[in-house]
Amino acid sequence: MEVVGKYVEKFNQLTGQSLECRDVFQSEGLCVHIEKRHPDCVAEIPNIPLILASPDYIGRNPKEKNSVELVKRMGDNLMVCVKLDLKSNYFFVATLFKISDSKLKNRIASGRLKKYN
């Protein structure tokens, strides 16, 4: 596992959570997951640290406690989902995928995603 970013207090403020700030890890299994489930995003894996450090939008999946969704517009809209492993008490990148402009707009309109300033 390698450190690819930080979970920072601003994430809590914008998502209404109170999680402890700490490193975010990426496992080798993430690459396998992306190759299998989101093959169009394999070339975007090196952008994960940039997306974590300076997202354009942030939110939380209402079905996933202790998680955060970060979106960066980089030609495509790239979403990184970060989750907290409660058993081992660490944050990890769960997935990376592209979302359409319409999904992005809908999630902003619904309040699920907020502008990250």
Side-chain angles (χ1 to χ4, degrees):
M1 298 238 286
E2 72 177 281
V3 175
V4 290
K6 295 255 185 218
Y7 184 97
V8 295
E9 184 57 34
K10 190 167 182 179
F11 294 178
N12 282 333
Q13 294 166 359
L14 293 170
T15 62
Q17 300 183 94
S18 57
L19 303 173
E20 186 177 329
C21 299
R22 60 180 68 171
D23 291 334
V24 176
F25 293 88
Q26 175 181 317
S27 71
E28 290 179 18
L30 176 67
C31 295
V32 174
H33 164 79
I34 292 171
E35 287 172 357
K36 187 175 185 179
R37 301 288 303 252
H38 313 287
D40 58 329
C41 289
V42 170
E44 304 296 348
I45 293 171
N47 290 320
I48 291 173
L50 173 64
I51 297 166
L52 293 173
S54 62
D56 293 320
Y57 299 94
I58 185 168
R60 184 174 79 173
N61 182 336
K63 297 177 183 176
E64 291 282 346
K65 292 183 178 180
N66 305 316
S67 68
V68 67
E69 300 173 327
L70 303 142
V71 178
K72 182 83 173 165
R73 299 188 87 156
M74 304 178 68
D76 292 307
N77 303 316
L78 299 175
M79 178 178 279
V80 171
C81 299
V82 174
K83 295 182 181 180
L84 176 63
D85 180 314
L86 292 172
K87 189 174 184 179
S88 300
N89 202 28
Y90 71 94
F91 286 107
F92 66 97
V93 176
T95 192
L96 163 72
F97 56 92
K98 295 176 184 177
I99 64 168
S100 66
D101 284 334
S102 60
K103 275 191 179 180
L104 178 61
K105 289 175 186 174
N106 288 342
R107 290 180 183 190
I108 293 167
S110 73
R112 179 170 167 173
L113 288 175
K114 298 176 182 176
K115 185 79 171 146
Y116 189 90
N117 297 350

